[in-house]
Amino acid sequence: MAAQKWRMEILKILTPFLEGMKEAGASVEVFYVKRLNIKPCTGEFYCWNREPGQCYIDDDMQSLYPLLRNTDILVLATPVYIPLPGEMQNFMNRFIPLMDPILKWQDGRTRARLRANARIKKVLLVSSSGWWEMGNFGTLLRIVDEFAKDLNIEFAGALLRPHANLMVENKEKAEKIFKAARQAGHQLVEKGRISQSLLKTICQPLVSEKKALSV
Ligand SMILES: Cc1cc2nc3c(=O)[nH]c(=O)nc-3n(C[C@H](O)[C@H](O)[C@H](O)COP(=O)(O)O)c2cc1C
């Protein structure tokens, strides 16, 4: 699991989700990419051409690579920052050493895949945004979808929380949302998927669009 920790909104969804996963028996490891030293990929393709699977950049990714190779489920947690914070994008770009350099033509696109020694099967997105509308997540969803396709893994769902700051003043709905996030964690581990109804509960509007715009 990789989280981008700046403030707190996203943790309100992420924490119950991870607790649900743990309650269902998963072992969960959390790291905050913002707190780590993760440099940008330099695009040398050293990890493909010179020493397959090895990144030459000496930073905190070196200790994350073994963890990532042995993870079944990767949860990316990030707020929307037109479209996402740079630290999270750097982290995603540094997956290249875990990817096989054999590119395949698939549905009109050039795709890579994870190396055989990396076992991630699914990626999930947890995200919060400031503005009212769900459209704010569009670019981020596309980025994670492309990421999943390039690793040849399943994009298994997105827990999205628009106008996340309004959860404080809408306590009743917020409680239902936290409960749904916890159940989503259970479902992911127990059934391998999260129901659409839970995902809908998590992203439900807290106020009408009109009210949000009048603030
Ligand atoms: C640089 C920056 C860019 C942002 N861009 C957007 C945006 O495009 N759309 C949006 O809905 N919220 C945007 N936000 C608001 C955050 O997504 C929102 O406040 C989020 O809930 C923050 O989560 P956090 O408290 O966990 O950091 C932006 C915030 C910052 C600081």
Side-chain angles (χ1 to χ4, degrees), residues 6-11 79-82 128-131 136 164:
W6 295 83
R7 293 182 300 140
M8 293 303 288
E9 300 301 346
I10 198 164
L11 293 182
V80 174
Y81 271 25
I82 340 170
S128 63
S129 76
W131 321 157
N136 273 297

Side-chain angles (χ1 to χ4, degrees), residues 64-213:
L64 292 186
Y65 283 129
L67 288 176
L68 292 170
R69 280 194 196 93
N70 288 303
T71 292
D72 298 305
I73 300 173
L74 174 70
V75 179
L76 300 172
T78 178
V80 174
Y81 271 25
I82 340 170
L84 81 173
E87 288 91 342
M88 183 57 85
Q89 183 66 66
N90 282 345
F91 170 72
M92 292 164 82
N93 291 353
R94 295 287 297 282
F95 268 69
I96 301 279
L98 301 180
M99 289 156 71
D100 228 316
I102 300 163
L103 300 173
K104 281 202 174 141
W105 185 250
Q106 221 174 316
D107 301 326
R109 295 289 307 277
T110 307
R111 298 291 185 195
R113 57 184 305 125
L114 278 178
R115 290 178 189 273
N117 68 355
R119 66 170 213 232
I120 303 172
K121 298 284 177 297
K122 296 172 197 281
V123 60
L124 284 102
L125 171 67
V126 177
S127 186
S128 63
S129 76
W131 321 157
W132 185 84
E133 70 277 16
M134 287 292 287
N136 273 297
F137 296 102
T139 309
L140 184 56
L141 284 168
R142 173 83 202 283
I143 288 171
V144 178
D145 186 52
E146 288 289 325
F147 178 75
K149 287 185 172 127
D150 279 325
L151 300 184
N152 196 29
I153 61 176
E154 181 193 355
F155 183 8
L159 281 69
L160 306 177
R161 188 52 254 163
H163 47 282
N165 55 317
L166 297 187
M167 285 190 289
V168 180
E169 57 216 67
N170 288 277
K171 284 202 167 54
E172 215 169 289
K173 279 185 179 170
E175 284 309 320
K176 286 186 183 144
I177 289 166
F178 304 149
K179 197 170 157 208
R182 184 180 293 270
Q183 283 176 316
H186 270 266
Q187 278 192 0
L188 178 65
V189 175
E190 287 157 4
K191 300 183 181 165
R193 53 178 293 279
I194 303 170
S195 70
Q196 284 305 314
S197 74
L198 278 184
L199 295 179
K200 259 178 108 169
T201 300
I202 293 165
C203 68
Q204 68 179 282
L206 298 173
V207 294
S208 68
E209 182 180 6
K210 200 171 157 199
K211 191 166 175 206
L213 292 177

Side-chain angles (χ1 to χ4, degrees), residues 35-64:
R35 292 181 188 164
L36 297 172
N37 173 26
I38 300 179
K39 297 189 178 119
C41 173
T42 56
E44 314 282 327
F45 284 105
Y46 177 98
C47 58
W48 277 15
N49 302 328
R50 295 274 297 280
E51 207 176 334
Q54 298 302 312
C55 179
Y56 80 95
I57 302 173
D58 184 16
D59 63 6
D60 289 334
M61 277 309 283
Q62 296 302 342
S63 47
L64 292 186

